[in-house]
Amino acid sequence: MKQVRKRFATVLPFFLMILLQAPALPQSSAEEKFLDSLISGMTLPEKIGQLVQWNGSNPDGEKLLRDGGIGSFLNIRNREEINRLQKIAVEETRLGIPLIIGNDVIHGYQTTFPIPLATAASWNPELLKKACRIAAYEAAENGTRWTFAPMVDIARDPRWGRIAEGFGEDPFLGGRMAEASVEGFQGGNMTSEGGIAACTKHYVAYGAAIAGKDYNTVDISERTLREVYLPPFHAAVNAGAATMMSAFNDLNGVPASCNYFTLTQILRNEWGFEGFVVSDYNSIGELIHHRVAGDKAQAALEAIRAGVDMDMVGDTLAGNIYSPNLETLVRPGRISEEIINEAVRRVLRIKYRLGLFRHPYSIAEYAWNDTLPDAEKQKVALQLARESIVLLKNENSLLPLRRDVKSIAVIGPLADNRDEMLGTWTCEPIIANVVTILEGIRGRVSPGTKVEYAKGCGITGEDTSGFDQAVRAAREADAVVLVVGESKSMSGEAASRASLDLPGVQQQLVERIHATGTPVVVVLINGRPLTIGRIAENIPAVVDAWFLGDQAGNAAADVLFGDYNPSGKLPVTFPRSVGQIPIYYSYKSTGRPFDPHNKFTTKYIDAPVTPLYPFGYGLSYTRFVCSNLKINPPQARLGENIMVSVDVTNSGKIAGLEIVQLYLCDRVASVTRPVKELKGFRKVDLKPGETRRIEFTISPEMLSFYDINMRKITEPGLFDVMVGGNSEEGISAPFELVE
Ligand code: NOJ
């Protein structure tokens, strides 16, 4: 039986009365009845208060809170402080409506998992769900019942630093990871112990910022919006996402934070979203900078009318838009109070669904079952980190390294830096828990192996004075593990880059170490695809380790020494040069498809058209072969499911996991369609020599697209199915759809 500790037992009798009246009703009508009674007793300022989110706590905020003028706080993580503010809300305000506390719990709260882009490389939604569950529980224990995650922005321009926070370039993979995150954070039913509300962001098309420059204008067609950028948001809504965040960017002439078309027409009317929309940090105030609002009152008007329910950073220091401006809009009748009522209802609905009216405090205050023990959490972190690693190159099977090799030099500015392993956005990580790559290697080699460390240089800067020592270490070793890449602050928000080369003098370091002749393995630490053409050409083994969180070093060592056979696949294309960007696998054919023998086709005169590494790519220490592709029926009726089956064989000598990918191509349609689109994937674990037959179902939805009038249709005709280990290699077969 759940018990509430004495200290926080009092919740206003007003709510208890309403709640007690409700139990005989089905959940949804009980909820609506509760909301009706509550809203009918609220004054206009109290209603507006529910739409105001304050950043951090301070005396001004506390005063406003007591007057019922604040419904939410962000950026407070101290449990005592959260409970103290909550106590004011439930015991000292007239109506006692609990606060909802939001924080950016992006890839872990205390236990820190790999960054989202890395987790997408695992192609393992179930595992991501487990990680999000853990993050949610740790957050809820500390009073955070709302995370500003998942970020599901499709990103096809790696100059954009926020590519690190999302799931890459593909709407299908992005959609599966979005669902998993929402389910993991919310725990099915948000009122369940440790469920927190998800906030799918940044709605919408923020990742299409022109030139990859953060906060920049977005100008894309409705087709691209619907086909590429919206699907992961829709998947999140279907998975029950409680809230959405409206983005900073301008979308086709209307900023996303006052865009009626996306916020109301699509989100609410088409998709039936019942939760609430919070703005991004002062994005309502920034309507003034977008120059679609002349002052704060107009900004408030545009945003609330479009469907933004809560003003993030509604405090006096920054935005201060909904409070006090909404009141000045309602009083003279410039907007009806009904609009406010609707927004308030959505906010209160989520507070109700979170169970905050019954259990407003940090869940640590209630005698509920505890979360997993720390060791179990770290096991999930380790498994997710291992599965996120992508083996990019392994010439002459240099990897895995023998653990009894006589000596190893571990070199590079990212080889022994705990903090850097965590990547962008962390909450309360325990730095001492983080395992660096050097520590991981030291913990894995045989007792007789000598491990020599040399930093070589900084991540940035021009200082080459450490090169000589690093070169000496490399010369004296049998193998070098060279850990290079970006610092964690080089990706994430406000971290766009115009060059995607290794920063500082790291490329020179790579060349000096390579010149020693000792075999080199490069371990790349990165929040985005980097232009590593010279490394890919010259260095025999390259491991992409992103930012892997607490277990970075153990996961990398597992892969380097073969305790884990790498299975990750790129969730985003690696360009050869910045000039190729944007580059992605699901491009359109054009009227002049690429032909190396014909000058007047789509290509560059000074660079190849192919990427360095394609979407879906990643090597293993074994080999997988797909064969015997069957499509049933080969001629299907519109509306029928189609079964695809294929044999997958591990033809190598060790066990391994293959991510089998299914791509579809609509050969001829009434509008242009991508050359291929991912529509399914399976992760299969195969022993050496084992063959398994796997099946995919192609649903009618997967064959549909938006016609010229933006209606979803399916057209009869020929389609190609390709099944394989990445977006460029596989076996294919056609099928036909008939009326
Ligand atoms: C601004 C960021 O764009 C958003 O992703 C984040 O959730 C908010 N700040 C709150 O920190």
Side-chain angles (χ1 to χ4, degrees), residues 74-75 103-104 106 148-149 151 162 165 201-202 206 215 245 248 280-281 312 425 493:
L74 83 152
N75 287 341
N103 275 299
D104 289 279
I106 307 296
F148 305 126
M151 185 194 104
R162 303 201 79 171
E165 298 175 50
K201 70 186 189 186
H202 305 83
Y206 181 39
Y215 316 118
M245 185 184 292
F248 286 126
D280 202 343
Y281 201 99
M312 181 185 281
W425 286 120
E493 188 177 351

Side-chain angles (χ1 to χ4, degrees), residues 383-462:
Q383 190 56 20
L384 189 50
R386 285 167 170 160
E387 294 194 28
S388 300
I389 292 174
V390 184
L391 179 63
L392 295 175
K393 183 176 177 190
N394 193 18
E395 206 170 75
N396 301 325
S397 300
L398 173 59
L399 290 174
L401 299 171
R402 293 171 54 123
R403 67 179 79 233
D404 60 355
V405 60
K406 274 225 295 289
S407 65
I408 295 188
V410 181
I411 296 172
L414 286 148
D416 195 28
N417 188 327
R418 293 209 163 97
D419 189 42
E420 285 293 348
M421 296 300 102
L422 297 172
T424 182
W425 286 120
T426 46
C427 286
E428 300 294 327
I430 302 179
I431 295 292
N433 278 354
V434 182
V435 182
T436 68
I437 310 286
L438 176 64
E439 289 166 332
I441 291 173
R442 284 209 162 117
R444 203 55 52 89
V445 290
S446 59
T449 303
K450 189 172 149 222
V451 179
E452 195 69 34
Y453 165 66
K455 187 172 169 196
C457 61
I459 301 171
T460 54
E462 300 302 310

Side-chain angles (χ1 to χ4, degrees), residues 45 47-54 64 68-70 284 296 300 310-311 313-316 318-328:
K47 290 177 188 172
I48 294 169
Q50 289 303 308
L51 311 182
V52 172
Q53 186 182 53
W54 202 270
L64 192 61
I70 294 182
I284 305 179
K296 290 183 174 186
M310 188 183 279
D311 179 11
V313 203
D315 61 61
T316 40
N320 195 214
I321 305 294
Y322 276 6
S323 160
N325 294 292
L326 285 182
E327 199 170 339
T328 61

Side-chain angles (χ1 to χ4, degrees), residues 59 72 82 102 122 156 342 372 432 437 441 450 490 511 526 612 647 689 737:
S72 174
I82 289 176
S122 77
R156 296 179 163 187
E342 263 317 296
L372 289 174
I437 310 286
I441 291 173
K450 189 172 149 222
M490 294 179 83
E511 275 150 34
N526 52 327
L612 185 62
D647 283 337
L737 263 193

